[in-house]
């Protein structure tokens, strides 16, 4: 079984459109975006983690923006498995399943 995450690459036009839509949603240039479906006591909700071009997380205080970001990304990548967290790299246009890796010390790596 492969541990490599599934990934999709947007066309140049889609990449440009996503860059503009994300800028409109979050009011600044976005470097990376993670979309995750989480279960809260009141039901399932989308959570977006936004990384700005400065490399730091952009606070997303309006819960509606999380949902809007998920809709935008879902429309651009309908074949992605949205039951898993997805990471989008704005520069490359690559969407891939988020994989949590164990720290090297726990893997037994000597790096």
């Amino acid at each position: 079984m492969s541990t490599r995450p599934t990934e999709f690459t947007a066309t140049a036009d889609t990449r440009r459109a996503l860059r503009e839509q994300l800028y409109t949603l979050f009011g600044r240039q976005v470097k990376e975006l993670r979309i995750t479906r989480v279960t809260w006591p009141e039901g399932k909700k989308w959570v977006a983690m936004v990384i700005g071009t400065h490399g730091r997380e952009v606070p997303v205080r309006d819960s509606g923006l999380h949902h809007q970001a998920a809709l935008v990304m879902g429309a651009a990548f309908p074949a992605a498995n949205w039951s898993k967290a997805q990471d989008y790299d704005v520069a490359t246009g690559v969407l891939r399943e988020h994989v949590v890796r164990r720290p090297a010390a726990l893997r037994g790596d000597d790096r």
Side-chain angles (χ1 to χ4, degrees):
M1 179 163 98
S2 174
T3 59
R4 184 181 175 133
T6 303
E7 65 179 48
F8 302 91
T9 303
T11 65
D13 288 342
T14 300
R15 196 167 48 236
R16 191 172 22 263
L18 286 172
R19 182 179 290 117
E20 290 173 9
Q21 288 175 307
L22 294 174
Y23 179 85
T24 299
L25 282 175
F26 301 110
R28 64 185 76 203
Q29 294 294 328
V30 175
K31 179 180 177 184
E32 298 173 44
L33 175 69
R34 177 175 302 141
I35 301 291
T36 308
R37 187 82 168 167
V38 296
T39 303
W40 294 80
E42 58 273 8
K44 293 184 182 261
K45 292 185 179 185
W46 293 106
V47 174
M49 183 181 78
V50 181
I51 304 297
T53 55
H54 50 68
R56 293 188 306 264
E57 186 175 354
V58 174
V60 182
R61 291 181 173 81
D62 180 348
S63 62
L65 293 177
H66 295 271
H67 184 78
Q68 287 298 317
L71 291 177
V72 165
M73 297 308 293
F77 298 99
N81 180 357
W82 291 101
S83 67
K84 296 185 177 182
Q86 299 288 330
D87 296 332
Y88 179 66
D89 183 311
V90 175
T92 63
V94 173
L95 178 85
R96 77 173 43 93
E97 289 180 6
H98 177 71
V99 175
V100 177
R101 290 178 175 73
R102 287 188 301 174
L106 296 176
R107 289 192 310 259
D109 294 354
D110 293 329
R111 298 177 233 187

